[in-house]
Amino acid sequence: MFILPRIQEFIIAGVMVESPCVIGVDLGGTNVRLGLVHAGRIMARAEQAVRVERSPAAMVDFLARVITPWRSTTPAPQAIGIGAPGIVDPQRGVILKSPHYPEWVGFDMQAQLDAATGLPVILENDANAIALGEATDGAGQGFANFIMLTLGTGIGGGLILNRDLFRGDVGFAAEVGHMVLDYAGPACPCGGHGCWELYASASAFPQLIDQSDHPLRRQFLDHFHGESGRVTPADVYRLATDGDLFANALWKTFGRFLGTGIASLTNVFGVDHFVIGGGMATAWDFFVPEAHRALARHTYPETAARIQLHRARLGDDAGILGAAALVARRLQ
Amino acid sequence: MFILPRIQEFIIAGVMVESPCVIGVDLGGTNVRLGLVHAGRIMARAEQAVRVERSPAAMVDFLARVITPWRSTTPAPQAIGIGAPGIVDPQRGVILKSPHYPEWVGFDMQAQLDAATGLPVILENDANAIALGEATDGAGQGFANFIMLTLGTGIGGGLILNRDLFRGDVGFAAEVGHMVLDYAGPACPCGGHGCWELYASASAFPQLIDQSDHPLRRQFLDHFHGESGRVTPADVYRLATDGDLFANALWKTFGRFLGTGIASLTNVFGVDHFVIGGGMATAWDFFVPEAHRALARHTYPETAARIQLHRARLGDDAGILGAAALVARRLQ
């Protein structure tokens, strides 16, 4: 491990405090957001749209420019945690491949940012960081085991097992969105077929709409010039709130597929708690009752009765707080 | 934990040897088998059909009668491990419910057998015990993470994560056979729908046969008076070995469904190794190539290339050796 000797020094030098001050970086697909975090609270923050920051060098430069002045705050930040989208090697601190940043192939972000800021850096997959954040400061506090689901374009996952992140053999665990929900289902961009996230994520809505035989479908589509491809989850949420019955039915279908996948995960892991976040969690009340019905349909009755679905608590700050929790845990 | 103080005593008293001698008990649905195990080898064994032993008292009595004379062997057995079918509470050493033994509801086997033999007892779900056995003495040696699949009437599972058994929140993990493979699939005896074991276990064959449109299906069924319900996996294996093309096609279909479920598990856990045992593993060469093709069809290409399917090595002794490994691990 690149970073451990440095952290060791902190401990030996007695700089350690109970709750260290750290920097959390959320490398989103649209914005880079970072925060100075102490005791689970964001004391300072910065944000930038990523358009102009797509090269590794530009990203490191942007982060260093924000972080350098933060180093003189009290308490001073001791380390940087980063949640990055895509495939990450946390051991070497390298982003192997990232869907949002095509230039980032084998980007040794940990080494570069450490050199630019003089602070130790820990890099992790963004969904894993969010799971750790919910475990430390959010809805997962106190659970030995839980599965984090982030409902976005796909279904992001993070496994907290025995109070720690489970990463699998290659730091590639919890690609739960690609669990098979229908062995004969349609092709998924991942190369698979019938993957869960084809049925229960933002990108599922056009298909859920096209396959519906609901009588109000056509009337609903009139809002979108008849094109299901234009419909976003935010639209469906707004219309459901306004009392549109088809939008309401769509959330129920979404909930049914969400619950079916959760049933599968429950049967496999024997884990009772699920923490659900991401943009679509806003529509919680529209889809959760149906998710519970699907759970009952796909598990033992005793199991279905045990399952608890918890709404994630860190909201938009989940990425920053998760990345901060990642590094704060190592320092404590 | 009921048993820990007793084990502690052994350690404090210095009785501990590198590889303790223990007793492993395999409570199967047809036979109870037990063995005196030292360093992963069975030094003595006993077996009895379970018909007459279905009451808790009769079972404890039978086990005690076998075990008592074994206590004077050298090295003497230090503890008893039991792998039991059904739902087990390993913390309290109680069999909550068992499919093969309807009388066993809340059977406190650990306390009763301890009282009858004077030896500490550890109880575990049988599939979990088998996974530990393969981890300790079989095909799972050396893997930090692997998933054990036992292909029998259903699909039994055991999760070895970070070199230890993962039990979930209620000792009920790895009911992998009830992972959903088709959300719109048929009802399963578990109460769910479209469960994996409806497609890739011994009980799947009648359905695989009935749903096939293979031209040689009718000719194949002539061996069984036209009744698919009479066909056992052993029959299908024998006929495939004899060159029957329909039997061969059945194993391929079986392999495809097996591989589809493994793909799901891989995406969820990021675990590269699977150890596959149970009676049907005998037909390994007939179904494994097709399982690999299904893996490729349902995962990222990089993932599919990493997956390794290993044939379980403990065979018929898996139950005894697994139960022994369970208790030997605690003593070491």
Side-chain angles (χ1 to χ4, degrees), chain A:
Chain A
M1 276 300 293
F2 185 84
I3 194 177
L4 281 178
R6 186 85 60 103
I7 289 183
Q8 213 75 40
E9 273 169 42
F10 281 118
I11 296 168
I12 291 163
V15 183
M16 275 276 301
V17 285
E18 271 247 338
S19 181
C21 180
V22 297
I23 291 163
V25 180
D26 172 12
L27 291 182
T30 319
N31 293 289
V32 187
R33 294 145 46 89
L34 61 169
L36 186 69
V37 180
H38 188 217
R41 288 180 54 207
I42 300 178
M43 317 302 284
R45 59 167 78 224
E47 182 162 350
Q48 188 168 56
V50 293
R51 234 185 316 275
V52 296
E53 307 295 350
R54 298 226 168 206
S55 83
M59 181 61 80
V60 169
D61 186 55
F62 164 68
L63 294 175
R65 271 185 291 119
V66 173
I67 290 167
T68 303
W70 284 356
R71 293 205 59 185
S72 45
T73 58
T74 309
Q78 297 180 29
I80 302 167
I82 303 180
I87 307 174
V88 167
D89 179 344
Q91 296 292 320
R92 298 189 299 130
V94 172
I95 299 174
L96 302 174
K97 204 163 131 178
S98 186
H100 304 304
Y101 303 92
E103 270 190 50
W104 295 10
V105 177
F107 172 15
D108 56 338
M109 176 166 246
Q110 180 177 295
Q112 289 197 34
L113 192 62
D114 179 314
T117 63
L119 284 172
V121 176
I122 294 182
L123 187 69
E124 184 55 84
N125 167 276
D126 53 357
N128 281 349
I130 289 172
L132 269 183
E134 291 288 345
T136 311
D137 302 307
Q141 284 177 76
F143 303 145
N145 306 302
F146 73 90
I147 298 176
M148 174 81 209
L149 301 173
T150 302
L151 305 175
T153 314
I155 304 177
L159 311 175
I160 302 290
L161 306 180
N162 296 325
R163 302 186 190 281
D164 202 3
L165 200 55
F166 179 73
R167 290 188 180 80
D169 285 319
V170 289
F172 202 49
E175 284 287 331
V176 296
H178 301 287
M179 189 172 62
V180 179
L181 211 64
D182 178 5
Y183 66 82
C188 175
C190 81
H193 291 77
C195 297
W196 188 22
E197 68 181 39
L198 297 176
Y199 304 90
S201 70
S203 48
F205 279 95
Q207 190 202 305
L208 297 183
I209 294 166
D210 292 342
Q211 295 190 349
S212 167
D213 54 7
H214 195 286
L216 296 173
R217 176 177 165 273
R218 185 170 295 256
Q219 188 181 319
F220 171 91
L221 273 179
D222 285 345
H223 297 288
F224 305 95
H225 309 281
E227 291 172 32
S228 65
R230 288 173 177 243
V231 182
T232 67
D235 295 325
V236 187
Y237 175 63
R238 183 177 42 80
L239 286 162
T241 308
D242 291 349
D244 184 292
L245 293 175
F246 181 71
N248 196 286
L250 278 178
W251 282 117
K252 285 190 172 163
T253 308
F254 175 91
R256 194 172 75 235
F257 285 124
L258 183 70
T260 304
I262 291 174
S264 250
L265 290 174
T266 297
N267 285 333
V268 167
F269 284 95
V271 163
D272 295 347
H273 299 282
F274 291 80
V275 176
I276 303 176
M280 270 171 294
T282 313
W284 189 265
D285 294 337
F286 289 116
F287 67 75
V288 160
E290 201 61 36
H292 276 289
R293 270 189 281 276
L295 273 172
R297 196 180 133 83
H298 286 285
T299 56
Y300 293 100
E302 301 91 321
T303 308
R306 279 199 327 269
I307 305 309
Q308 293 183 40
L309 309 183
H310 307 274
R311 187 160 169 187
R313 285 218 302 263
L314 302 187
D316 288 346
D317 291 332
I320 292 175
L321 291 173
L326 174 77
V327 71
R329 276 182 172 231
R330 297 276 199 96
L331 288 167
Q332 271 171 324

Side-chain angles (χ1 to χ4, degrees), chain B:
Chain B
M1 274 302 294
F2 185 84
I3 193 175
L4 280 178
R6 183 87 59 105
I7 288 183
Q8 214 75 40
E9 272 169 43
F10 280 121
I11 295 167
I12 291 163
V15 183
M16 274 278 302
V17 285
E18 272 248 336
S19 183
C21 180
V22 297
I23 291 163
V25 181
D26 173 12
L27 290 183
T30 320
N31 292 289
V32 187
R33 294 145 44 92
L34 62 167
L36 187 69
V37 179
H38 188 218
R41 288 179 55 205
I42 300 177
M43 319 301 285
R45 58 168 78 224
E47 182 163 348
Q48 187 169 56
V50 292
R51 235 184 317 272
V52 295
E53 307 293 352
R54 297 225 169 206
S55 83
M59 180 60 80
V60 169
D61 186 56
F62 164 69
L63 293 175
R65 272 185 288 119
V66 174
I67 289 167
T68 304
W70 285 355
R71 293 205 56 185
S72 47
T73 58
T74 310
Q78 298 179 29
I80 302 168
I82 304 180
I87 307 175
V88 167
D89 179 344
Q91 297 291 320
R92 298 189 299 130
V94 172
I95 299 175
L96 301 174
K97 204 162 132 177
S98 185
H100 304 304
Y101 304 91
E103 269 191 52
W104 296 11
V105 177
F107 171 17
D108 56 340
M109 176 166 246
Q110 180 178 295
Q112 290 197 32
L113 192 61
D114 179 314
T117 62
L119 284 172
V121 176
I122 293 181
L123 187 69
E124 184 54 83
N125 166 277
D126 54 356
N128 280 349
I130 289 173
L132 269 182
E134 290 288 344
T136 311
D137 302 306
Q141 283 178 77
F143 302 145
N145 306 302
F146 74 89
I147 298 175
M148 174 82 210
L149 301 173
T150 302
L151 305 175
T153 314
I155 304 178
L159 310 176
I160 301 290
L161 307 180
N162 297 325
R163 303 188 189 281
D164 202 3
L165 201 54
F166 179 73
R167 289 186 180 82
D169 286 319
V170 288
F172 201 50
E175 285 286 331
V176 296
H178 301 288
M179 187 170 63
V180 179
L181 211 63
D182 178 5
Y183 65 83
C188 174
C190 81
H193 292 77
C195 297
W196 187 20
E197 69 182 39
L198 297 175
Y199 304 90
S201 70
S203 47
F205 277 96
Q207 190 202 308
L208 297 183
I209 293 166
D210 291 342
Q211 294 191 349
S212 167
D213 54 6
H214 195 286
L216 296 173
R217 176 177 164 274
R218 186 170 294 256
Q219 187 180 320
F220 171 91
L221 273 179
D222 286 345
H223 296 290
F224 305 94
H225 309 280
E227 292 171 33
S228 65
R230 290 173 176 244
V231 182
T232 68
D235 294 326
V236 187
Y237 175 62
R238 182 176 42 79
L239 285 162
T241 308
D242 291 348
D244 184 291
L245 293 175
F246 182 71
N248 195 288
L250 278 177
W251 282 116
K252 284 189 174 166
T253 308
F254 175 90
R256 194 172 74 234
F257 285 124
L258 182 70
T260 304
I262 291 174
S264 252
L265 291 173
T266 297
N267 285 334
V268 168
F269 284 95
V271 161
D272 296 346
H273 298 281
F274 291 80
V275 175
I276 302 174
M280 270 173 294
T282 313
W284 190 264
D285 294 337
F286 288 117
F287 66 76
V288 159
E290 200 62 35
H292 276 290
R293 269 189 283 276
L295 273 172
R297 196 180 132 82
H298 287 284
T299 57
Y300 294 99
E302 302 90 322
T303 309
R306 280 198 327 267
I307 306 309
Q308 292 183 40
L309 309 182
H310 307 274
R311 188 161 170 186
R313 284 218 302 262
L314 302 186
D316 288 346
D317 291 332
I320 292 175
L321 292 173
L326 175 77
V327 72
R329 275 183 173 230
R330 297 276 200 96
L331 289 167
Q332 271 172 324

